[in-house]
Amino acid sequence: MSYDYARIAKEVIQAVGGPENIRSATHCATRLRLIVADRAKADDEKVGEIEGVKGTFFTAGQYQIIFGTGHVNRVYEQVVRLGIAETTASEAKEAKMDGKNQVQKAIRTFGDVFVPVIPALVATGLFLGLKGALLNNNFLALFGMTNADIPQSFQILVEVLSGTTFAFLPAIVCWSTFRVFGGSPVLGLILGLMLVNGALPNAYSVADPSSGVTPLILFGFVPIVGYQGSILPAFVAGVLGSKLEKKLRKTVPAVFDFMITPFLVLLIMLVLSLLVIGPLLHALENVLLVIVETALGLPFGIGGLVVGFFWSIITLTGVHHIFNMLEISLLASTGFNPFNAILCMCGFSSAGVCLAISMKARKKEIRAIGPSATASALLGIGEPALFGVILRYGLKPFLLSCSINGVAGMITMLLGMKGTGNGITTIPGMLLYIYSPSQIIMYVVLAVATFAAAFSLCWIFAVPQEVMEG
């Protein structure tokens, strides 16, 4: 469909209260985000009638209009051309924190640290999935080959592609933490690299009794190892290191700042990280992982049932960002992510409910946006379906979707489904399961069943009456 983006931009500005009510604009993959002076001046109904709009909501201090991928960036370009300022990083951060309590601010900050890490993990997950599929003896047997027939140079290339991110994960986390907390990201990167320096005993080797590698013991009782795959030590070191750097910038004379501040930050934080932060938090991290793995392994798939049912509710609150660290930790310690299977099925459930509503609806607006919102959900971007269709006219479709999510989550746990990465779901998420024939078959069958059940049950029981009025 061809849109007149210039006209759409003009209509958006007027419907949101005019240019004087819009402080600045930015966008993400699917939404135009406007920081407005007065939320009450934005006419939701008027905005919803604009061509191409798939839904609106106000969150994180921003008035957000869902256009979908491929459209939102074009609308944004026209909005900026009409004189609306671009949102700066400080404005966006201030807007996100506006009106939030301390717990909400902490969760938002936590998300800001880990969300930028996800693309690297997505790529690594795909590499691991392809590695598991292409170098699987069952697959190679189809061509009369085994792993021994694969050139060593190719295997090394695959190992570099699939192993680098987790080997240097603390460096990535420490870099992102320094960036969010106002330190120098390059110092965070160097500090994180120090935590996985090859001179330290490798954490993976220490964990393998057959390797013969043991920790360095300082003072007779403090074990020192590298922190390959660890999250919490790098995160806390990043928080404290960035605060130390900002303190030193204010106290060290300007003429010596360039030289002394980086020296002291790296020296003090490395000693603290290896002697105090690392040993304490690495132990805590292991305890948390055991608790989570135990919960997910509860009998009858109860853990999957609970996570699945509440996932969409958690997503609405914004608290879901905190699960990024959990998924990353699971991947780093076990190589697999059972959370991903649950989240993938939640995506298929939302897509099924969205399609049922849009196909049965008589309201032209829903019939127009529903199919594209469904396609978006099937590609792993659920906001158009969730905010533009499912939640728009009542809670019944949403609660139905939550219930189906819970049942599907329980089944994933009973079947032992688990992906090789995180950050992608639904149809693209299939790539995280191709490492095993049984995993990909279970994934496809359960995905189809979840989508079909969500579509059928919503069609019969949960299509809102309001959308049936043309």
Side-chain angles (χ1 to χ4, degrees):
M1 180 182 293
S2 178
Y3 290 126
D4 183 347
Y5 296 107
R7 179 177 56 79
I8 291 173
K10 290 178 182 178
E11 292 178 357
V12 165
I13 291 173
Q14 292 305 314
V16 177
E20 64 278 2
N21 193 44
I22 303 176
R23 292 177 178 171
S24 60
T26 186
H27 73 93
C28 61
T30 59
R31 290 164 279 166
L32 177 67
R33 302 176 178 223
L34 305 175
I35 297 180
V36 295
D38 186 352
R39 164 69 179 91
K41 291 183 179 180
D43 189 331
D44 294 353
E45 186 174 344
K46 204 170 182 179
V47 174
E49 294 173 353
I50 297 173
E51 184 181 23
V53 172
K54 297 177 175 64
T56 64
F57 61 99
F58 186 83
T59 186
Q62 298 171 325
Y63 189 79
Q64 304 193 24
I65 306 172
I66 303 169
F67 283 100
T69 53
H71 299 297
V72 65
N73 54 309
R74 292 177 171 85
V75 175
Y76 170 75
E77 289 173 2
Q78 296 298 325
V79 167
V80 172
R81 284 185 183 180
L82 291 172
I84 302 301
E86 298 180 56
T87 302
T88 64
S90 60
E91 284 178 323
K93 184 174 182 179
E94 183 180 341
K96 287 179 181 179
M97 299 304 181
D98 187 34
K100 293 184 179 295
N101 58 39
Q102 291 302 314
V103 174
Q104 291 172 319
K105 288 180 179 179
I107 291 172
R108 171 60 66 177
T109 300
F110 200 77
D112 289 341
V113 169
F114 286 98
V115 167
V117 178
I118 289 178
L121 293 169
V122 169
T124 299
L126 295 180
F127 288 135
L128 286 169
L130 291 170
K131 175 185 176 182
L134 296 177
L135 300 184
N136 184 293
N137 280 324
N138 292 326
F139 175 78
L140 293 173
L142 297 175
F143 304 93
M145 301 170 63
T146 66
N147 266 299
D149 300 313
I150 305 298
Q152 186 180 14
S153 57
F154 179 77
Q155 294 198 41
I156 291 174
L157 175 62
V158 171
E159 191 61 38
V160 170
L161 287 170
S162 60
T164 300
T165 297
F166 290 123
F168 296 98
L169 191 56
I172 302 172
V173 171
C174 211
W175 159 80
S176 187
T177 306
F178 263 71
R179 177 185 58 83
V180 170
F181 283 85
S184 300
V186 68
L187 290 182
L189 179 63
I190 297 301
L191 176 59
L193 288 171
M194 287 178 172
L195 296 179
V196 292
N197 189 285
L200 298 172
N202 186 285
Y204 295 129
S205 299
V206 170
D208 181 4
S210 64
S211 69
V213 178
T214 58
L216 297 175
I217 303 298
L218 191 64
F219 305 131
F221 67 94
V222 180
I224 297 179
V225 298
Y227 289 95
Q228 289 81 2
S230 289
I231 302 298
L232 276 177
F235 175 71
V236 174
V239 173
L240 296 179
S242 58
K243 291 183 179 298
L244 174 62
E245 181 191 353
K246 289 194 290 185
K247 182 70 174 177
L248 290 173
R249 297 285 184 197
K250 295 177 181 178
T251 55
V252 174
V255 68
F256 299 115
D257 178 62
F258 183 77
M259 176 175 55
I260 296 298
T261 297
F263 173 81
L264 290 177
V265 169
L266 293 176
L267 175 62
I268 294 171
M269 290 314 305
L270 180 64
V271 172
L272 276 178
S273 298
L274 292 179
L275 299 186
V276 182
I277 297 171
L280 291 177
L281 291 182
H282 190 53
L284 175 61
E285 193 173 51
N286 288 334
V287 171
L288 291 175
L289 283 173
V290 169
I291 292 173
V292 171
E293 289 179 299
T294 301
L296 291 176
L298 287 173
F300 311 113
I302 293 174
L305 174 67
V306 173
V307 172
F309 181 85
F310 285 103
W311 184 251
S312 292
I313 299 171
I314 291 171
T315 300
L316 291 177
T317 67
V319 181
H320 62 294
H321 292 301
I322 202 169
F323 286 86
N324 291 332
M325 188 195 76
L326 174 61
E327 292 186 82
I328 295 169
S329 296
L330 285 170
L331 285 166
S333 65
T334 68
F336 294 102
N337 177 15
F339 255 99
N340 181 262
I342 301 173
L343 307 191
C344 286
M345 295 309 125
C346 291
F348 284 113
S349 170
S350 294
V353 169
C354 179
L355 185 62
I357 295 173
S358 61
M359 289 186 65
K360 194 172 183 179
R362 293 178 182 172
K363 188 179 285 290
K364 291 182 180 179
E365 182 183 355
I366 295 298
R367 292 183 67 86
I369 69 174
S372 60
T374 300
S376 179
L378 289 173
L379 293 174
I381 301 172
E383 291 97 336
L386 185 61
F387 293 105
V389 178
I390 297 174
L391 274 171
R392 195 164 184 176
Y393 298 105
L395 288 177
K396 188 183 291 185
F398 179 68
L399 293 176
L400 171 66
S401 180
C402 290
S403 301
I404 295 171
N405 292 346
V407 174
M410 178 178 69
I411 295 173
T412 65
M413 291 299 98
L414 291 173
L415 294 176
M417 293 173 60
K418 47 193 176 182
T420 56
N422 74 318
I424 58 172
T425 56
T426 52
I427 292 176
M430 292 173 61
L431 293 173
L432 303 181
Y433 296 81
I434 60 176
Y435 67 92
S436 164
S438 61
Q439 286 284 326
I440 189 62
I441 290 171
M442 289 188 295
Y443 186 96
V444 172
V445 171
L446 184 56
V448 171
T450 301
F451 181 86
F455 179 90
S456 303
L457 291 173
C458 182
W459 182 281
I460 298 171
F461 300 111
V463 174
Q465 184 59 38
E466 189 174 347
V467 305
M468 299 304 293
E469 301 168 1

